[in-house]
Amino acid sequence: MKKQLIISIGREYGSRGHQIGEKLAAKLGIDLYDRNLLDEVAVQNGADAKELSKYDEKPRRFFSSRTVRGYSNSPAVNVAELQFALLKSKAADGDSFVVIGRCSDEIFKGIADCVSIFITADPMDKLARIMVHRQFNQKEAEKAIARHDKNRAAYHDYFCKKPWGKANTYDLCVNMSKMGVDGTVDFLFNYVNAIMNK
């Protein structure tokens, strides 16, 4: 790919946003960053990736954390900011990539070669996905979806000016239930190419 391209994907829990991002990155021939970003962060900072993963995309604990002179005592905030810095460094180097979550819609806002996408799905599709994937009953799946989406919103909204999951925050919002995973990937591939070739 000659031109730099950054694709930011926000997603609801159970919407298969990671799977869609993975397939889209493969189809475009560019890297995908999600939890694997923590491996690089760990190497750069002499940390344990497993330990860092405990705080990945987690909201800050309001009553037990504070910031003094620009430094936070919250592990969740520190892990997030290390990831943001690494993503910005990759963008500054001219790399092209797909990034799942990590406030990337805000980090790269205003960059001409960034496309921000939000993936949703019909409630029954999300329930079915979580029930099979996590081997949950319907009630457990409903609770998991509500908990994960609440945490994602809290994490996102702590760092970002615009709220998580709202249509006007993204370039494009897609309900994957309408086209399935592969159909959604094909649609996004064509959408991104149309933008890049305009």
Side-chain angles (χ1 to χ4, degrees):
M1 178 169 293
K2 294 175 185 175
K3 201 173 176 184
Q4 184 182 29
L5 171 64
I6 298 169
I7 300 175
S8 161
I9 296 182
R11 74 287 186 218
E12 290 179 341
Y13 189 63
S15 68
R16 300 184 186 224
H18 176 86
Q19 187 181 7
I20 289 166
E22 198 171 43
K23 289 191 167 200
L24 181 60
K27 193 162 185 171
L28 289 164
I30 59 179
D31 290 325
L32 171 80
Y33 294 115
D34 192 359
R35 284 181 175 262
N36 60 337
L37 200 63
L38 289 173
D39 295 332
E40 284 190 58
V41 168
V43 169
Q44 287 183 3
N45 294 276
D48 179 4
K50 239 182 191 178
E51 187 64 26
L52 295 179
S53 70
K54 294 177 186 176
Y55 307 103
D56 186 36
E57 283 201 304
K58 296 286 191 298
R60 176 185 74 119
R61 293 187 178 179
F62 185 75
F63 292 108
S64 62
S65 63
R66 62 191 189 129
T67 301
V68 178
R69 295 183 185 145
Y71 295 96
S72 175
N73 72 341
S74 166
V77 170
N78 294 328
V79 167
E81 288 179 347
L82 288 169
Q83 290 184 83
F84 301 162
L86 182 55
L87 286 169
K88 287 175 184 175
S89 170
K90 290 179 179 297
D93 288 342
D95 294 356
S96 291
F97 51 87
V98 173
V99 58
I100 308 293
R102 282 143 193 84
C103 300
S104 50
D105 57 303
E106 178 85 12
I107 293 170
F108 299 117
K109 192 136 193 96
I111 293 178
D113 300 320
C114 177
V115 180
S116 62
I117 297 163
F118 191 82
I119 308 291
T120 185
D122 291 345
M124 291 311 295
D125 284 344
K126 291 189 290 184
L127 276 174
R129 165 71 173 161
I130 299 307
M131 287 169 71
V132 170
H133 185 65
R134 300 286 302 275
Q135 297 182 335
F136 283 170
N137 63 37
Q138 183 170 334
K139 194 169 184 180
E140 290 169 331
E142 286 170 349
K143 284 183 178 178
I145 290 168
R147 184 179 69 253
H148 279 273
D149 283 349
K150 182 180 178 183
N151 285 341
R152 283 179 180 170
Y155 163 83
H156 179 278
D157 294 353
Y158 175 75
F159 294 103
C160 303
K161 293 174 186 172
K162 290 193 174 179
W164 178 83
K166 298 295 180 185
N168 65 354
T169 303
Y170 307 91
D171 296 319
L172 179 70
C173 295
V174 179
N175 182 339
M176 65 76 55
S177 298
K178 305 303 179 190
M179 295 178 280
V181 170
D182 290 334
T184 301
V185 170
D186 290 342
F187 171 77
L188 294 176
F189 179 81
N190 291 331
Y191 176 80
V192 167
N193 275 320
I195 289 174
M196 296 301 285
N197 294 324
K198 68 178 181 180

